């Protein structure tokens, strides 16, 4: 990872796109809760703003900041992560197109591709992305996109971004990386060769479980223009208040991620030593199949931890017995969450090739006191 860029991450998160307001000097970009803008004569736009679906200053601040912290040139903010994914799919796919997706993709991504895109004539193959030979074998002349997620939700699988980029580019396809789990603080896919980064900003970037949003970031100006065209033509944009809340979250991303990672490491140590836990899934563990790749492309291993119990009943019991870890979907907020992916976040993948094991528990380790978190888990594990 480029050292100069790494050093300035924290500064960019606080300042990129966030110059003090020209009119008042407000140090935080105001919430421009407005739909339209006065024109100084027809077409005489002030700063390019004409209608807030096309552009809004609060959203511009967020989009600029996201582009810079991902090392891209164009950031686009959407109403949700899935709205961002939809815009990307519709911009790059046509009837007859083929996509390679992870065999453990996020359930909502799978549902979007299998239930919405496929009926419009887009085919796909789920492939274990850790196996580069399998990915290469899945490429077809019609393949326009490799969709990667790393680490994956909820199995914490790791894909080699640089290797996937070269497979995609040799085949004339693009590589999209869903960077939601790592966040740009831990991993920067564009620098590793990816063409576009996808985020559910609902998660670590927003960071406070108070806003739903999504983003696309690219360093390719042609693709950036296509995505911006689709953002405006389809219209699923982030509203001004949502953009403002998300930008407020971004400012502390680095300090939050440091604490998420430190707490996750303590949780992993406890789980790995616990007799009732059958297996801990965390890319920071040397025995994890993607550990070496994770070391190469991530600065730390993140705040998400999954583990398997002896049975579905035991997994459910742990989920229902924590007090501090709140039983709930979503992830990446300051508060710790626990869930049962098979029946909750990934229920939409049940019966599909992407079905997740029913003895799996997923933790989003928050930034509370680590000792309190460990005591809660220990008690729930009984
Ligand atoms: C939550 C999530 C999404 C979808 O984002 P929304 O903001 O819920 O629409 C996409 N990818 C991953 C990895 C996620 O965790």
């Amino acid at each position: 990872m480029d050292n100069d860029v790494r050093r300035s991450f924290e500064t960019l998160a606080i300042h990129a796109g966030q110059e003090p307001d020209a009119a008042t000097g407000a140090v935080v970009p105001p919430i421009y809760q407005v739909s339209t803008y006065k024109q100084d004569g027809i077409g005489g736009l002030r700063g390019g703003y004409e209608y807030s679906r096309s552009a809004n200053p609060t959203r511009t601040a967020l989009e600029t900041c996201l582009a810079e912290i991902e090392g891209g040139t164009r950031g686009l903010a959407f109403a949700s992560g899935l709205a961002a994914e939809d815009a990307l799919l519709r911009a790059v796919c046509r009837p007859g197109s083929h996509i390679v997706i992870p065999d453990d993709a996020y359930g909502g991504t799978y549902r979007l591709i299998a239930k919405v895109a496929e009926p419009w004539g887009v085919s796909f193959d789920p492939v274990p992305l850790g196996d580069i030979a399998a990915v290469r074998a899945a490429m077809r002349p019609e393949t326009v996109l490799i969709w990667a997620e790393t680490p994956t939700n909820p199995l914490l699988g790791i894909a080699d971004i640089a290797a996937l980029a070269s497979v995609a580019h040799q085949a004339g396809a693009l590589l999209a990386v869903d960077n939601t789990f790592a966040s740009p603080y831990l991993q920067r896919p564009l620098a590793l060769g990816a063409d576009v980064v996808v985020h559910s900003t609902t998660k670590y970037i927003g960071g406070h479980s108070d806003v739903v949003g999504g983003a696309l970031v690219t360093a390719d100006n042609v693709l950036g223009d296509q995505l911006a065209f689709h953002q405006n033509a389809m219209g699923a944009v982030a509203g001004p208040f949502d953009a403002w809340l998300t930008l407020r979250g971004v400012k502390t991303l680095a300090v939050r991620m440091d604490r998420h990672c430190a707490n996750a490491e303590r949780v992993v140590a406890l789980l790995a030593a616990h007799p009732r836990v059958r297996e801990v899934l965390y890319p920071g563990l040397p025995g994890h199949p993607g550990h070496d790749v994770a070391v190469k492309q991530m600065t730390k291993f993140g705040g998400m931890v999954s583990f398997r119990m002896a049975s579905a009943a035991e997994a459910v019991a742990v989920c229902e017995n924590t007090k501090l870890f709140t039983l709930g979907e979503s992830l990446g907020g300051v508060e710790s969450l626990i869930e049962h992916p098979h029946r909750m976040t990934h229920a939409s993948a049940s019966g599909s090739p992407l079905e997740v094991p029913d003895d799996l528990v997923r933790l989003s380790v928050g930034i509370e006191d680590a000792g309190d978190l460990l005591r809660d888990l220990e008690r729930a594990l009984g």
Side-chain angles (χ1 to χ4, degrees):
M1 207 164 270
D2 185 89
N3 278 330
D4 285 345
V5 177
R6 282 294 305 155
R7 261 203 301 280
S8 60
F9 183 95
E10 291 83 346
T11 308
L12 289 174
I14 293 168
H15 294 289
Q18 302 167 76
E19 287 301 312
D21 182 53
T24 64
V27 297
V28 170
I31 304 169
Y32 284 90
Q33 192 68 44
V34 63
S35 61
T36 191
Y37 306 81
K38 173 181 162 47
Q39 304 194 6
D40 297 318
I42 294 172
L45 307 183
R46 301 184 188 178
Y49 295 102
E50 74 185 318
Y51 184 62
S52 281
R53 169 163 38 72
S54 312
N56 170 282
T58 315
R59 197 174 92 218
T60 303
L62 172 63
E63 292 177 332
T64 305
C65 183
L66 291 176
E68 296 218 18
I69 61 176
E70 276 290 1
T73 52
R74 190 74 176 256
L76 298 162
F78 292 84
S80 71
L82 283 171
E85 296 188 16
D86 186 32
L88 171 58
L89 291 171
R90 290 206 240 178
V92 305
C93 296
R94 295 292 175 271
S97 296
H98 173 256
I99 315 173
V100 170
I101 68 165
D103 68 351
D104 56 348
Y106 168 66
T109 300
Y110 174 75
R111 182 177 54 201
L112 177 65
I113 292 172
K115 302 282 164 67
V116 179
E118 193 173 51
W120 287 93
V122 174
S123 63
F124 67 96
D125 279 306
V127 175
L129 296 192
D131 181 350
I132 292 297
V135 176
R136 198 173 278 118
M139 300 300 283
R140 301 191 209 150
E142 318 79 70
T143 307
V144 293
L145 187 65
I146 297 179
W147 187 283
E149 211 184 296
T150 182
T152 55
N153 180 0
L155 293 173
L156 282 310
I158 297 292
D160 185 331
I161 296 170
L164 288 175
S166 86
V167 174
H169 297 158
Q170 274 165 23
L174 300 177
L175 174 64
V177 176
D178 183 335
N179 202 25
T180 298
F181 264 38
S183 90
Y185 181 60
L186 302 182
Q187 170 174 279
R188 310 215 313 156
L190 298 178
L192 297 163
D195 299 285
V196 56
V197 170
V198 181
H199 276 287
S200 169
T201 56
T202 313
K203 315 295 171 53
Y204 286 106
I205 287 182
H208 296 74
S209 306
D210 53 9
V211 60
V212 171
L216 299 173
V217 181
T218 181
D220 174 332
N221 292 331
V222 174
L223 179 61
D225 285 346
Q226 287 168 349
L227 296 173
F229 174 84
H230 278 74
Q231 181 196 39
N232 181 49
M234 292 164 60
V237 296
F241 185 49
D242 288 359
W244 186 89
L245 276 174
T246 305
L247 193 55
R248 179 185 166 128
V250 171
K251 293 174 198 286
T252 55
L253 182 62
V255 288
R256 284 187 285 109
M257 288 314 293
D258 282 337
R259 180 65 168 263
H260 282 296
C261 293
N263 282 358
E265 282 170 22
R266 299 275 304 274
V267 164
V268 165
L270 177 137
L271 294 172
H274 200 284
R276 290 190 57 204
V277 174
R278 200 151 60 81
E279 187 187 2
V280 182
L281 310 180
Y282 187 66
L285 286 170
H288 184 287
H291 179 68
D292 292 345
V293 173
V295 167
K296 197 177 67 170
Q297 68 190 17
M298 302 177 79
T299 51
K300 293 181 190 176
F301 306 105
M304 298 301 297
V305 179
S306 292
F307 58 98
R308 298 184 70 173
M309 299 295 291
S311 66
E314 287 196 27
V316 168
V318 175
C319 291
E320 291 179 346
N321 279 306
T322 53
K323 297 237 181 323
L324 194 49
F325 279 84
T326 302
L327 179 64
E329 308 209 349
S330 199
L331 60 109
V334 292
E335 63 286 302
S336 292
L337 299 175
I338 189 166
E339 68 122 358
H340 186 244
H342 185 83
R343 280 173 49 193
M344 295 173 64
T345 48
H346 289 66
S348 63
S350 104
S352 82
L354 281 79
E355 181 165 318
V356 297
D358 60 6
D359 55 14
L360 189 77
V361 177
R362 190 190 76 181
L363 301 178
S364 173
V365 181
I367 65 171
E368 301 95 336
D369 174 71
D372 290 342
L373 294 177
L374 298 183
R375 275 186 293 280
D376 188 40
L377 278 178
E378 209 146 23
R379 210 194 42 77
L381 283 163

